[in-house]
């Protein structure tokens, strides 16, 4: 990885801001959700909102269709200078004023006067963050689904595989590994279902104008339709239930991953040795039979960061009047980060569960007196029967 | 309040543990939810679970109906010594072992052998906490509903009352106070709806036996029916989505209260003077016209404690195996506390909104150029039309 | 524990508010610190502040010594009705107004006019909370010290006892159990030293009058001397560094306990079986050789609650003007709770370490190739040499 | 800011990972601390540790000086590919294995065999993070110092400028603006002093080898000397007091900024109008006399993120055995982020205070009856007299 310094346009040593290409990105930005949470993704989402807004107004006849097309054509993230926008953001405590000015310049007359019509900066940023969330939740939920599928397969296969039940980290009565995996499956499925509910019902267009008093239901409806977001009865500038509920659902999903990853690290201890990770990571060159539980450790590391971020989002709900002096702005990066680390946790969980190696002989050895395998199998069946 | 020390059996200076009667109870345990979160309530809920469990087994014929009746009759909290149970809890890192022993002693033979049948301590405590939540959520939701009703009345009355919109704590374009109140109403309604959804769908019976492998669907169903709790497909001993989602919904409700309470403290500033609290508190003996915003300050004080508690519950989700060594136990008090402070926040919000005094002249004075009152009124109508 | 209902004046079923006597008090209010965090303790501390304040003014000659004595004599917590004070607190969003009125009534003329002289409610409550912290930190630090002593003894005894080092929960190179215990010792010692530093330097008198502009350095100095608190250069009404630093030091202490308790739960797993708890709790009647790690589980349960509480205290630092509208009030209960659960964690750690049973044969068995015992012993010596 | 896409090697639309150049960097990565928290800075710090380690061993004679020089020469961040290192990090749940391999390749024989001598990955990463903190704290403390100086100047200038004291957001007795500013000054000074104490005493070299049992005091001492870090008595692999205390001190500093920024937003309200921000940002093109409080809003937005991050660091203290499975890894990004946002908060505070415009006429108008200006001035003097 050390290279001479002549090669690429980016050059060695020049870090990218794409979350997955950063120094710790392999751990904390795994999977496809991360790409939706970086600067390019947020910039792209803001531009998508501006483009959709122009088209929505055009649909109402308020601006010429050609102008909307011109605006939409200019909404190409590659044409904007992120660092310059970032510097300009410092002058307004938000990045939209600078973006709109740059977009107007890119569009040129006469269409430039229709850029950002009726909207306030918060409309664009709130809607863009909802859009970012919508986009990130798709791969995130996909990874949770794949993880749950892998988990359900383990549950089915091992429905009657005895394993020691353990309470307070002490061996208790036996259960089956399948029932344990069924518990993980239910948790993953439920967490995903809740995220999908939030995605469909909670993620919503923001369109309220300067003080949340814009009444443009047709435009909002068109925006919602184009961007795949719900259309709320009234603007929600200072009612932060939506980011907070999104955060909470992500926190619960991270917790579901933490539970199974914790179990795997414990089952993979040398002294227990009932499972072993089988993914690409963790192989020791010196000791071929040794495997560090890289996936579960990484999943835990991602998941443990969620509660503090959720608390930040919840703590930001008490926003002043029509736009908060600090609390609104405090939401942005934590929300992006929460999407990223929860997405990464989900991707690690998938990797972990799709490659988990199970030592049924060792499990039986430690399980002690036979569990009631019939009961366990019945519970596994019942758990899996509820899957969509 | 200073008294001679001869009077009551409790005696002055002897604090009660009823949350509302404690030294700071007037602030942090307002409303009816608090009473469901104290020691007596939790003890009562555990005993209700034991009683319901006995009856549920009797229904299946597994134990004689008379024995179930004897057990249920003994499940009277007044017969148990809380301090002794607390001391015994230290020997087991949970209070159920001691309670079951005391209950068995109270029941006596022959019914005592059927006490706690099939259950493990976690079954009783988890189900009891769900029951506590169910009970506390009723008055809590009632206060949120009453607060929202008062808020909706303000929205309706002031749909066309101009007020300065304020962004970053600076005056911006005018809006109407009714639209502002409509925003609060929507937030309160949504928070309550989410809590009621959680109450109906998420709060669930726990019945899994020692390692979560008990299969007694009829008993679980009977328990759920009697206690008003959902019946999950399989036990959820180490899948902590339920307490976490409950916590999250409480956190969002606290945030909805924080928002409006924050606004009221700001509108009540002497320099703004657009509203004034009208409840019982806050009157200055020296200055009759002065009112400290006691209700909004107390509501904020309660609400600000929620995010940290939610984070604790979320952070506890990574529980080991079939019963966690610390993380499960860490949930109990924070959950009770979260119910209490959110309940108190809701009660304060109700008090606040039911007595809010609005100075429309002052509002108009500061509002500047007339807002589009028709648009605001239309938005208010649309917001209130969605109310159940 | 079930009793007939005729016995005591308190009666069974009537919970006490003394933290250690509550239903979960055995777990979350262990040790002597808890008693300093209850209603009686806070009430007592507020009265101690009022008494000390009167005496301090008397020393300056501002009020007659006899009046100060009369005031001090009335400052007996047993003479006040906690529930009534709690109810009155709701009218002021703080409990001091009610207490001062009750104290004035108890004192009677002519001394009553000197009650609470110069002070504002916040002076009394802030100083009382500092005093509560000072009192609670003594036993808390004592338990940390005893825990560290027990730990140091383990380190010394087992300086050359081989044990497997474990990274990512996988066996790695061997180390010695003594070195492991030395690490715990250093952490406990450092956490205690930091708490004692905070106790000596950070806990301070508050005396600023209504808006923090009182200048009474002699009175403040006398208060500080009597109560054992530092005397700050100016009042700190809205500079919340002191509660926040106290909270942070408690959080770090809780974390130090969590680390060793986590290790003990892992070492005590049946599959590892290198240590076993030896305290009073956790014995199974059915299986005499089995021991639930009750102390470490309880310590973890206490410790895991600290971070959320610390975050609440830190999040409350942004207080408005001369007295905050919500954020100040939000500090009180979390600070008391943090003292209680950290104190309980420390007491559990002490119990745990004073009775830990070490299986050196099993340790050697799992340790694999001999560690460099000389190096480990040297590190242990070096670690212990730094102890005070 | 919209540009054609032919220009630079980086190209428009290609975001940088330098925190200050990112899309929201102007707000959340202000000041010089941020540059120490990015990928390049962390990579550079890891390489500095490897170079210092080689030199330290050379000093003991364990490796040839020439080899140490060769290693140090190769430790140039520009020669390493961040994205490739990030990808490799996923295979080990940490980035050091990949870095050491790349460094060995860059060094080549024979010196390559001495790369990373005696160290484990955690040694390098922990020491590097301490180094990052040390570097970031210098400008951060510089900004806090400059902010406090500006604040002290305000305090001095306005020691006798009357202003309304405000409690619960209601006007109370008058005080002086100088006394208010003196309170801010003390808080900033104390926060900085605590950070500098942490920097000098708490930030420490980590050198423990695979399981924390390396005993190389001379090497550790040389490392500490070269890197400016304390040398602990024994390795602290699983004793996470150091990152936790660092985090806590940052959290307190963020809180000190939040307090004054909150006050400024309130004083800058149109209805109060006692101060106005005077920095570069916030000017309205439409309304020249209007100023959005961009600096205080940004400071608040940064500061509000600290408590959740501190909680994450505290919650990570319960680390397993000699290297944690998740909790250690969970520290890295939150620590970097906490340094970044606290640094940015400090830079905003400095900007805010160095340009604050004070309207003494308006202050006097609202202050009501004259405060005791002599007392206030005396308190200001006393506060400022304690400055270093």
């Amino acid at each position: 990885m050390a290279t001479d310094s002549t090669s690429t346009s980016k050059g060695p040593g020049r870090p990218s801001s794409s979350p997955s290409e950063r120094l710790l990105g392999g751990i904390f930005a795994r999977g496809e959700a991360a790409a939706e949470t970086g600067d390019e993704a947020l910039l792209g989402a803001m531009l998508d909102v501006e483009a959709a807004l122009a088209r929505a107004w055009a649909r109402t006849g308020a601006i010429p269709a050609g102008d909307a097309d011109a605006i939409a054509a200019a909404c190409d993230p590659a044409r904007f200078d992120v660092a310059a926008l970032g510097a300009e953001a410092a002058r307004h405590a938000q990045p939209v004023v600078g973006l709109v000015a740059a977009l107007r310049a890119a569009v040129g007359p006469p269409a430039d006067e229709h850029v950002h019509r009726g909207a306030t900066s918060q409309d664009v940023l709130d809607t863009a963050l909802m859009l970012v969330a919508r986009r990130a939740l798709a791969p995130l939920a996909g990874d949770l689904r794949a993880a749950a599928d892998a988990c359900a397969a383990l549950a089915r296969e091992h429905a009657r595989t005895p394993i020691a039940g353990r309470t307070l980290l002490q061996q208790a009565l036996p259960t089956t590994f399948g029932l344990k995996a069924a518990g993980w499956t239910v948790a993953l499925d439920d967490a995903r279902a809740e995220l999908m509910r939030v995605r469909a019902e909670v993620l919503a267009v923001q369109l309220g104008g300067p003080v949340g008093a814009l009444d443009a239901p047709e435009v909002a409806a068109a925006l919602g339709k184009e961007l795949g977001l719900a259309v709320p009865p009234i603007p929600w500038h200072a009612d932060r239930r939506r980011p907070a509920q999104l955060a909470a659902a992500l926190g619960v999903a991270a917790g579901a991953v933490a539970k199974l990853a914790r179990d795997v690290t414990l089952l993979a201890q040398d002294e227990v040795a009932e499972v072993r990770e089988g993914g690409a990571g963790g192989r020791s060159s010196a000791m071929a039979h040794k495997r560090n539980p890289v996936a579960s450790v990484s999943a835990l590391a991602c998941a443990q960061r969620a509660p503090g971020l959720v608390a930040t989002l919840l703590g930001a709900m008490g926003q002043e009047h029509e736009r908060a002096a600090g609390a609104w702005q405090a939401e942005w990066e934590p929300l992006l980060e929460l999407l990223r680390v929860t997405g990464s946790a989900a991707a690690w969980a998938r990797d972990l569960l799709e490659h988990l190696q199970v030592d049924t002989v060792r499990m039986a050895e430690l399980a002690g007196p036979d569990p009631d395998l019939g009961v366990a199998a019945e519970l596994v069946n019942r758990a899996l029967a509820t899957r969509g």
Side-chain angles (χ1 to χ4, degrees), chain A residues 253-308:
Chain A
V257 170
K259 193 280 177 278
L260 70 91
R262 172 82 57 206
D263 279 357
V264 169
T265 59
L266 292 168
L267 296 175
Q269 292 171 102
D270 296 279
E271 298 87 353
V272 179
E274 293 179 346
V275 306
R276 204 161 60 150
E277 289 197 5
R283 279 208 187 85
S284 165
S285 50
M287 295 171 283
H289 65 289
K290 288 281 292 181
R291 291 297 282 272
N292 271 327
V294 161
S296 43
V297 164
S298 298
L300 280 167
C302 292
Q304 284 182 248
R305 293 169 56 186

Side-chain angles (χ1 to χ4, degrees), chain A residues 164-365:
Chain A
R166 293 174 175 99
T167 57
L168 314 193
L169 288 177
Q170 297 290 299
Q171 289 180 6
L173 293 183
T175 176
T176 73
F177 179 60
L179 183 50
K180 197 169 184 107
W184 301 342
T185 309
V186 168
L188 290 170
D189 279 340
D190 285 349
R192 182 175 50 84
E194 175 67 6
L195 280 170
M196 295 312 282
R197 188 185 73 85
V198 165
R199 189 169 185 262
E201 298 174 15
V202 175
L203 302 186
V205 164
Q206 179 73 281
L207 188 63
V211 293
L214 180 73
D215 188 40
E218 290 171 35
V219 179
L223 261 185
K225 193 167 180 189
E226 176 162 347
L227 302 175
L229 298 172
V231 182
I234 60 170
W236 48 278
H237 283 194
D239 166 13
R240 308 311 291 177
R241 177 179 67 93
R242 294 171 197 277
Q245 281 197 324
L246 168 61
L250 288 164
V252 170
V257 170
K259 193 280 177 278
L260 70 91
R262 172 82 57 206
D263 279 357
V264 169
T265 59
L266 292 168
L267 296 175
Q269 292 171 102
D270 296 279
E271 298 87 353
V272 179
E274 293 179 346
V275 306
R276 204 161 60 150
E277 289 197 5
R283 279 208 187 85
S284 165
S285 50
M287 295 171 283
H289 65 289
K290 288 281 292 181
R291 291 297 282 272
N292 271 327
V294 161
S296 43
V297 164
S298 298
L300 280 167
C302 292
Q304 284 182 248
R305 293 169 56 186
L309 295 167
V310 176
T312 299
L313 271 289
L314 287 173
M317 288 186 75
Q319 304 203 349
E320 297 97 346
H321 294 316
E322 280 66 49
R323 185 166 315 134
W328 173 53
Q329 298 81 358
E331 290 176 356
W332 309 333
E333 286 193 350
L335 190 56
L336 294 167
E337 189 173 333
L338 187 54
L339 285 163
R340 175 168 60 86
V341 296
T342 307
S344 195
W348 279 115
R350 174 183 187 163
D351 183 64
L352 170 63
L353 291 161
E354 287 182 344
H355 301 97
L356 194 69
Q357 298 175 354
V358 179
D359 186 336
T360 59
V361 174
R362 177 66 176 159
M363 285 181 180
E365 187 184 322

Side-chain angles (χ1 to χ4, degrees), chain A residues 131-159:
Chain A
L131 189 56
V132 159
R134 178 173 172 78
R135 288 168 177 171
L137 285 180
L140 194 164
D143 281 337
L144 286 177
R145 173 81 209 191
D149 287 346
C151 212
L154 288 169
R156 217 170 286 116
E157 182 181 351
H158 296 288

Side-chain angles (χ1 to χ4, degrees), chain A residues 63-151:
Chain A
I63 70 174
D67 286 2
D69 290 345
I71 292 170
C75 286
D76 170 6
R79 299 180 65 182
F80 295 83
D81 181 333
V82 163
L85 291 172
E88 181 69 8
R91 299 191 54 239
H92 313 281
Q94 41 100 334
V96 183
V97 172
L99 177 65
V100 169
L103 178 56
R104 286 211 171 101
V107 168
D112 59 354
E113 67 171 301
H114 299 307
V115 165
H116 196 60
R117 180 189 171 99
T120 191
S121 293
Q122 186 171 359
D123 292 333
V124 174
L125 198 43
D126 274 350
T127 307
L129 284 166
M130 294 284 113
L131 189 56
V132 159
R134 178 173 172 78
R135 288 168 177 171
L137 285 180
L140 194 164
D143 281 337
L144 286 177
R145 173 81 209 191
D149 287 346
C151 212

